[in-house]
Amino acid sequence: MTEELEAIESEATRAVNAAPSSEALEKLNIEYLGRNGRLTALLRGIGALPNDQKPLFGQALNAAKARLTDAVAVRTEALKGAERATREQDEAIDVTLPGRARPMGRLHPLSRTESDIKRVMIGLGFEFVDGLNIEGYSYNFDWLNFPPDHPAFDEQASFYVDDTHLLRTQTTAIQGHFFEAGRKPPFRVATIGRCYRYENMDATHSHTFHQVDGFSVAEGISLADLKGVLAEMMRGLFGPEVTVRFRPDFFPFVEPGVEVAVRWGDRWLELGGAGLIHPNILRRAGYDTERYTGFAFGLGVDRMPMRRYGIDDLREFLISDLRFLQQF
Ligand code: DAH
């Protein structure tokens, strides 16, 4: 049995020292030193030995186990070190590889248009304020001089949140909030953001779109100021050659009211409406209408990049399809 012990120990030691990986080493550990391992099996044979040999063999067996356990520990450390080194090498940056472009994000075409509009309007003296997406009925309609049961409502069917709140149909709803805050004229104020209407979607209509509204109250404001500001704004957005067209139109909150369009190529692009703020609104705001007048305009934002980038379907703006967005 002693010879068998020596044979097993030297075989095990050789195998342990040559173990190629931590996993292989763990297998050897179980094979020789485990509960059903080969050295442990020898211990069970001890009962068959003559009594005087039992203690000696027991000691030899324990000593062999201890040496093998040490050998396993030493090999474990060595393998760990080697494995760590390989991992580090795998992760190391290979400076000889050719460079790759970083995947960069970019601004949505509507965000770009929005910042262009702000840049131009701030240059014209407008200060931007934020409106509400869920608006009170009174700001969306009452403040804006909508007479009860007027056909103008038909164009502005909305999504109601409760009896008195809706998703705003026009950024013009900012006016009532601003007037209630009681600022003294003169001022030029603007807001830009999402609007919503209960509409069927197609290439040129959406239930969700964007508007920019601007208005100004001061002494002596006339339609000439409105035309001057809008023409300057359009030149800033579309280039110095752009032609702006004003045609009479009706909106309850302006008098007179106009429709605003710009010439683009061989067509007119209708952008929105404008006019002089209705005296009813100025009175409700508490301004002396003998002294103060105002202009206001509201333009669709989405159509500007459609024209500029040749986008023919408005729905693309809301879908966030990268194949579309990466073209801009
Ligand atoms: N809010 C109007 C619309 O959505 C557009 C508009 C017209 C805004 C005239 C104005 C304005 O501020 O003065 O159809």
mmCIF file of all heavy atoms in Angstrom, residues 156 169-170 172 175 197 211 213 251 253-254 273-275 296-298, ligand 1:
data_model
loop_
_atom_site.group_PDB
_atom_site.id
_atom_site.type_symbol
_atom_site.label_atom_id
_atom_site.label_comp_id
_atom_site.label_asym_id
_atom_site.label_seq_id
_atom_site.Cartn_x
_atom_site.Cartn_y
_atom_site.Cartn_z
ATOM 1 N N GLN A 156 -60.197 73.632 -35.441
ATOM 2 C CA GLN A 156 -59.337 73.374 -34.292
ATOM 3 C C GLN A 156 -59.949 72.347 -33.350
ATOM 4 O O GLN A 156 -59.994 72.528 -32.143
ATOM 5 C CB GLN A 156 -59.045 74.675 -33.533
ATOM 6 C CG GLN A 156 -58.469 75.740 -34.456
ATOM 7 C CD GLN A 156 -57.464 76.643 -33.768
ATOM 8 O OE1 GLN A 156 -57.081 76.410 -32.629
ATOM 9 N NE2 GLN A 156 -57.028 77.667 -34.451
ATOM 10 N N THR A 169 -54.319 73.611 -29.312
ATOM 11 C CA THR A 169 -54.404 73.518 -30.770
ATOM 12 C C THR A 169 -53.539 74.577 -31.428
ATOM 13 O O THR A 169 -53.334 74.543 -32.635
ATOM 14 C CB THR A 169 -55.849 73.715 -31.246
ATOM 15 O OG1 THR A 169 -56.285 75.010 -30.817
ATOM 16 C CG2 THR A 169 -56.767 72.661 -30.659
ATOM 17 N N GLN A 170 -53.063 75.547 -30.639
ATOM 18 C CA GLN A 170 -52.254 76.632 -31.223
ATOM 19 C C GLN A 170 -51.371 77.232 -30.118
ATOM 20 O O GLN A 170 -51.788 77.365 -28.968
ATOM 21 C CB GLN A 170 -53.168 77.719 -31.808
ATOM 22 C CG GLN A 170 -54.310 78.123 -30.881
ATOM 23 C CD GLN A 170 -55.304 79.067 -31.541
ATOM 24 O OE1 GLN A 170 -55.068 79.560 -32.635
ATOM 25 N NE2 GLN A 170 -56.415 79.333 -30.868
ATOM 26 N N THR A 172 -50.668 80.123 -29.917
ATOM 27 C CA THR A 172 -51.231 81.444 -29.621
ATOM 28 C C THR A 172 -51.805 81.496 -28.195
ATOM 29 O O THR A 172 -51.953 82.580 -27.620
ATOM 30 C CB THR A 172 -52.341 81.789 -30.642
ATOM 31 O OG1 THR A 172 -51.965 81.268 -31.922
ATOM 32 C CG2 THR A 172 -52.546 83.280 -30.759
ATOM 33 N N GLN A 175 -50.716 83.874 -25.276
ATOM 34 C CA GLN A 175 -51.042 85.302 -25.090
ATOM 35 C C GLN A 175 -51.748 85.580 -23.769
ATOM 36 O O GLN A 175 -51.350 86.471 -23.017
ATOM 37 C CB GLN A 175 -51.900 85.815 -26.254
ATOM 38 C CG GLN A 175 -51.093 86.083 -27.516
ATOM 39 C CD GLN A 175 -51.912 86.797 -28.590
ATOM 40 O OE1 GLN A 175 -52.975 87.355 -28.331
ATOM 41 N NE2 GLN A 175 -51.406 86.789 -29.814
ATOM 42 N N ARG A 197 -54.088 68.594 -32.995
ATOM 43 C CA ARG A 197 -55.462 68.711 -33.492
ATOM 44 C C ARG A 197 -55.990 67.329 -33.809
ATOM 45 O O ARG A 197 -55.228 66.437 -34.188
ATOM 46 C CB ARG A 197 -55.526 69.608 -34.731
ATOM 47 C CG ARG A 197 -55.283 71.059 -34.329
ATOM 48 C CD ARG A 197 -55.546 72.061 -35.416
ATOM 49 N NE ARG A 197 -54.909 73.319 -35.025
ATOM 50 C CZ ARG A 197 -54.866 74.414 -35.761
ATOM 51 N NH1 ARG A 197 -55.435 74.425 -36.948
ATOM 52 N NH2 ARG A 197 -54.261 75.492 -35.329
ATOM 53 N N GLN A 211 -45.603 74.911 -33.859
ATOM 54 C CA GLN A 211 -45.846 76.296 -34.265
ATOM 55 C C GLN A 211 -44.892 77.224 -33.531
ATOM 56 O O GLN A 211 -44.420 76.914 -32.437
ATOM 57 C CB GLN A 211 -47.273 76.723 -33.894
ATOM 58 C CG GLN A 211 -48.359 76.162 -34.791
ATOM 59 C CD GLN A 211 -49.722 76.766 -34.492
ATOM 60 O OE1 GLN A 211 -49.963 77.286 -33.412
ATOM 61 N NE2 GLN A 211 -50.616 76.682 -35.461
ATOM 62 N N ASP A 213 -45.214 81.230 -32.307
ATOM 63 C CA ASP A 213 -46.079 82.409 -32.204
ATOM 64 C C ASP A 213 -45.255 83.565 -31.657
ATOM 65 O O ASP A 213 -44.491 83.393 -30.709
ATOM 66 C CB ASP A 213 -47.249 82.152 -31.236
ATOM 67 C CG ASP A 213 -48.571 81.988 -31.980
ATOM 68 O OD1 ASP A 213 -48.764 80.909 -32.578
ATOM 69 O OD2 ASP A 213 -49.388 82.942 -31.966
ATOM 70 N N PHE A 251 -58.850 85.424 -38.525
ATOM 71 C CA PHE A 251 -58.614 84.734 -37.253
ATOM 72 C C PHE A 251 -59.293 85.590 -36.190
ATOM 73 O O PHE A 251 -59.170 86.819 -36.239
ATOM 74 C CB PHE A 251 -57.117 84.619 -36.941
ATOM 75 C CG PHE A 251 -56.342 83.894 -38.005
ATOM 76 C CD1 PHE A 251 -55.701 84.608 -39.012
ATOM 77 C CD2 PHE A 251 -56.257 82.510 -38.010
ATOM 78 C CE1 PHE A 251 -54.994 83.944 -40.006
ATOM 79 C CE2 PHE A 251 -55.547 81.840 -39.002
ATOM 80 C CZ PHE A 251 -54.907 82.565 -40.011
ATOM 81 N N PHE A 253 -58.645 86.439 -33.336
ATOM 82 C CA PHE A 253 -57.810 87.229 -32.418
ATOM 83 C C PHE A 253 -57.037 88.345 -33.090
ATOM 84 O O PHE A 253 -56.213 88.998 -32.437
ATOM 85 C CB PHE A 253 -56.866 86.318 -31.624
ATOM 86 C CG PHE A 253 -56.406 85.108 -32.401
ATOM 87 C CD1 PHE A 253 -55.195 85.117 -33.065
ATOM 88 C CD2 PHE A 253 -57.200 83.971 -32.454
ATOM 89 C CE1 PHE A 253 -54.777 83.991 -33.770
ATOM 90 C CE2 PHE A 253 -56.784 82.843 -33.162
ATOM 91 C CZ PHE A 253 -55.585 82.857 -33.821
ATOM 92 N N VAL A 254 -57.248 88.570 -34.394
ATOM 93 C CA VAL A 254 -56.579 89.692 -35.066
ATOM 94 C C VAL A 254 -57.565 90.467 -35.930
ATOM 95 O O VAL A 254 -58.547 89.928 -36.423
ATOM 96 C CB VAL A 254 -55.396 89.216 -35.949
ATOM 97 C CG1 VAL A 254 -54.176 88.911 -35.097
ATOM 98 C CG2 VAL A 254 -55.791 88.017 -36.789
ATOM 99 N N GLY A 273 -50.624 82.447 -40.041
ATOM 100 C CA GLY A 273 -51.441 83.649 -40.039
ATOM 101 C C GLY A 273 -50.811 84.737 -39.195
ATOM 102 O O GLY A 273 -49.866 84.515 -38.443
ATOM 103 N N ALA A 274 -51.385 85.945 -39.339
ATOM 104 C CA ALA A 274 -50.853 87.086 -38.600
ATOM 105 C C ALA A 274 -51.890 88.204 -38.620
ATOM 106 O O ALA A 274 -52.949 88.067 -39.235
ATOM 107 C CB ALA A 274 -49.539 87.560 -39.229
ATOM 108 N N GLY A 275 -51.581 89.286 -37.955
ATOM 109 C CA GLY A 275 -52.487 90.424 -37.982
ATOM 110 C C GLY A 275 -52.199 91.369 -36.835
ATOM 111 O O GLY A 275 -51.204 91.218 -36.121
ATOM 112 N N ALA A 296 -49.403 90.250 -34.096
ATOM 113 C CA ALA A 296 -49.199 88.857 -33.689
ATOM 114 C C ALA A 296 -49.091 88.001 -34.938
ATOM 115 O O ALA A 296 -49.643 88.337 -35.993
ATOM 116 C CB ALA A 296 -50.364 88.374 -32.825
ATOM 117 N N PHE A 297 -48.344 86.918 -34.824
ATOM 118 C CA PHE A 297 -48.303 85.953 -35.939
ATOM 119 C C PHE A 297 -48.054 84.559 -35.385
ATOM 120 O O PHE A 297 -47.513 84.399 -34.291
ATOM 121 C CB PHE A 297 -47.219 86.325 -36.961
ATOM 122 C CG PHE A 297 -45.825 86.384 -36.389
ATOM 123 C CD1 PHE A 297 -45.040 85.246 -36.297
ATOM 124 C CD2 PHE A 297 -45.304 87.594 -35.940
ATOM 125 C CE1 PHE A 297 -43.753 85.316 -35.776
ATOM 126 C CE2 PHE A 297 -44.025 87.672 -35.419
ATOM 127 C CZ PHE A 297 -43.251 86.526 -35.327
ATOM 128 N N GLY A 298 -48.523 83.581 -36.136
ATOM 129 C CA GLY A 298 -48.284 82.191 -35.760
ATOM 130 C C GLY A 298 -47.988 81.399 -37.009
ATOM 131 O O GLY A 298 -48.739 81.440 -37.983
HETATM 132 N N1 DAH B 1 -53.101 80.210 -34.321
HETATM 133 C C1 DAH B 1 -53.424 80.300 -35.721
HETATM 134 C C2 DAH B 1 -53.614 78.897 -36.267
HETATM 135 O O1 DAH B 1 -53.122 77.967 -35.680
HETATM 136 C C3 DAH B 1 -52.343 81.010 -36.462
HETATM 137 C C4 DAH B 1 -52.256 82.460 -36.095
HETATM 138 C C5 DAH B 1 -52.918 83.413 -36.850
HETATM 139 C C6 DAH B 1 -51.513 82.875 -35.001
HETATM 140 C C7 DAH B 1 -52.854 84.735 -36.534
HETATM 141 C C8 DAH B 1 -51.453 84.218 -34.660
HETATM 142 C C9 DAH B 1 -52.126 85.156 -35.449
HETATM 143 O O2 DAH B 1 -50.740 84.667 -33.592
HETATM 144 O O3 DAH B 1 -52.026 86.448 -35.133
HETATM 145 O O4 DAH B 1 -54.264 78.714 -37.274
#
